[in-house]
Amino acid sequence: MTAPDTIECRPIGLVHSRFTAVEGMPIQTAGAPDEPGRIELFPDYAAGLKDIEGFDYLIVLTHFHRCMQERLEVTPFLDTAAHGVFATRAPARPNRIGLSIVRLMSVEGRTLHFSGNDMLDQTPVLDIKPYVPRFDVRDTQRIGWFAGRVDALAQVRSDDRMG
Ligand SMILES: C[S@@+](CC[C@H](N)C(=O)[O-])C[C@H]1O[C@@H](n2cnc3c(N)ncnc32)[C@H](O)[C@@H]1O
């Protein structure tokens, strides 16, 4: 069977956050660990939340729905030089898929309250996975052009360059 040219995704829910515009918002959840938000899952997917309260952190895959650009080279928020988009976490990428690791604070029905937010209000959620350090953490030294820049994470905020 050959791979399809296009793949259709259905949002499973929406992010609710205080950010209604990209200007001035955090660029990574690690840079705004206390920023609250919530995900409301659509009713059809609620059964998929069984046992989710057992995890401290979740991996949230999203669609950058307000980003209209698709670029192969971008100047990311943390740099003044251009990089290949796959060497960045920039929104203006093919398929516009975001990956945010958030801290799960509580579960209320099909609402997940979390802390650590870099997502606009109404961001469509494509998937949620439990964060499992044994699977997801690597001890690594090489972080490419991010070296020397990640320390600025908490200070750097987004602008509309990827709009
Ligand atoms: C640099 S991305 C990082 C997102 C995720 N942590 C990642 O690494 O994939 C975060 C930025 O994406 C932009 N953004 C967030 N939600 C968006 C949305 N729904 N549509 C378009 N841009 C969005 C904002 O500029 C925000 O600061």
Side-chain angles (χ1 to χ4, degrees), residues 63-92:
H63 188 239
F64 293 119
H65 72 306
R66 297 256 299 269
C67 178
M68 299 304 149
Q69 303 178 36
E70 185 174 310
R71 298 198 216 148
L72 293 181
E73 280 196 25
V74 293
T75 302
F77 299 124
L78 273 176
D79 206 357
T80 51
H83 300 279
V85 71
F86 303 126
T88 77
R89 306 291 286 262

Side-chain angles (χ1 to χ4, degrees), residues 55 57 130-138:
F55 296 90
Y57 288 91
Y131 176 79
V132 181
R134 185 70 180 84
F135 300 163
D136 300 317
V137 176
R138 306 286 186 286

Side-chain angles (χ1 to χ4, degrees), residues 106-135:
S106 63
V107 183
E108 231 182 315
R110 52 191 171 82
T111 302
L112 304 177
H113 296 271
F114 64 83
S115 186
N117 187 19
D118 61 359
M119 296 169 278
L120 277 173
D121 190 45
Q122 301 296 312
T123 293
V125 177
L126 301 178
D127 202 357
I128 298 170
K129 301 187 188 212
Y131 176 79
V132 181
R134 185 70 180 84
F135 300 163

Side-chain angles (χ1 to χ4, degrees), residues 6 9 12 37 80 151:
T6 59
C9 281
I12 60 167
T80 51
D151 290 346

